[in-house]
């Protein structure tokens, strides 16, 4: 099996070449997708701790997970449609900012209805990552390297999801 260095060398790049802006953008997109996958598995993984510390029962925790899932599913096509009118980087930054802002607010809120609302907002923000990241990868990765980039993105996402 070929190492990453051998693959890059066979693609015409020396092993000690500095990363280009395209490679940096690719790596940042892959990192965003990996953190997205970790966040998606974080809520179910923390159910026990949330139940013990916040005294939320299984039905309330399920409602939070459902709010995130349904809003994510419904808003993902919207993010894809926005790609026609806005640059992918702007949309990814907007989604990541919204994601972090809603998560931060969720930590400060103690009422359950607001928690569910904010978890739904997190779902909307997380929905931006997949379509926008795929569009960005297509923009910054040459066509002959896209299979490798998408494979790396998915492998990193699965790995981060397992680590949570």
């Amino acid at each position: 099996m070929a190492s990453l260095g051998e693959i890059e060398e066979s693609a015409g790049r020396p092993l000690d070449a500095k990363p280009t802006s395209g490679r940096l953008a690719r790596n940042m997109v892959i990192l965003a997708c990996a953190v997205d996958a970790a966040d998606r598995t974080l809520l179910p993984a923390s159910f026990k701790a949330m139940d013990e510390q916040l005294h939320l029962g299984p039905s309330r925790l399920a409602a939070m997970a459902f709010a995130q899932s349904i809003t994510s599913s419904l808003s993902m096509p919207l993010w894809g449609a926005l790609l026609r009118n806005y640059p992918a980087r702007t949309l990814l930054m907007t989604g990541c900012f919204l994601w972090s802002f809603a998560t931060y607010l969720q930590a400060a809120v103690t009422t359950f209805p607001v928690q569910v609302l904010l978890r739904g907002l997190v779902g909307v923000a997380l929905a931006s990552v997949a379509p926008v990241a795929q569009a960005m990868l297509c923009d910054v990765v040459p066509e002959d390297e896209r299979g490798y980039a998408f494979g790396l993105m998915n492998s990193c996402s699965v790995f981060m999801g397992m680590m949570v």
Side-chain angles (χ1 to χ4, degrees):
M1 185 166 181
S3 70
L4 179 60
E6 291 170 345
I7 292 170
E8 289 182 351
E9 188 173 358
S10 68
R13 288 186 217 102
L15 293 174
D16 60 348
K18 293 183 180 177
T20 62
S21 63
R23 286 179 62 195
L24 180 61
R26 178 197 72 186
N27 293 342
M28 294 304 293
V29 167
I30 290 171
L31 178 64
C33 289
V35 172
D36 170 46
D39 190 86
R40 288 182 191 276
T41 59
L42 189 61
L43 182 62
S46 62
F47 273 0
K48 185 175 186 211
M50 291 177 73
D51 185 24
E52 291 172 357
Q53 294 179 5
L54 302 175
H55 307 292
L56 297 172
S59 62
R60 287 186 168 201
L61 293 169
M64 290 173 63
F66 179 74
Q68 177 180 330
S69 296
I70 197 72
T71 56
S72 180
S73 297
L74 294 174
S75 62
M76 197 173 288
L78 175 66
W79 286 103
L82 287 172
L83 282 166
R84 291 186 211 150
N85 300 320
Y86 299 97
R89 288 180 187 207
T90 302
L91 290 176
L92 188 61
M93 285 188 304
T94 303
C96 288
F97 173 77
L98 184 61
W99 173 15
S100 64
F101 183 70
T103 302
Y104 178 75
L105 283 178
Q106 189 177 4
V109 171
T110 57
T111 61
F112 178 69
V114 178
Q115 287 273 345
V116 172
L117 180 69
L118 289 172
R119 204 64 206 178
L121 188 58
V122 167
V124 171
L126 286 174
S128 72
V129 176
V132 174
Q134 291 173 9
M136 284 184 71
L137 278 180
C138 287
D139 287 345
V140 299
V141 176
E143 189 173 339
D144 60 329
E145 296 177 21
R146 286 185 189 154
Y148 171 74
F150 278 101
L152 185 62
M153 178 181 70
N154 288 322
S155 293
C156 291
S157 295
V158 169
F159 180 73
M160 284 295 286
M162 289 185 323
M163 294 308 293
V164 170

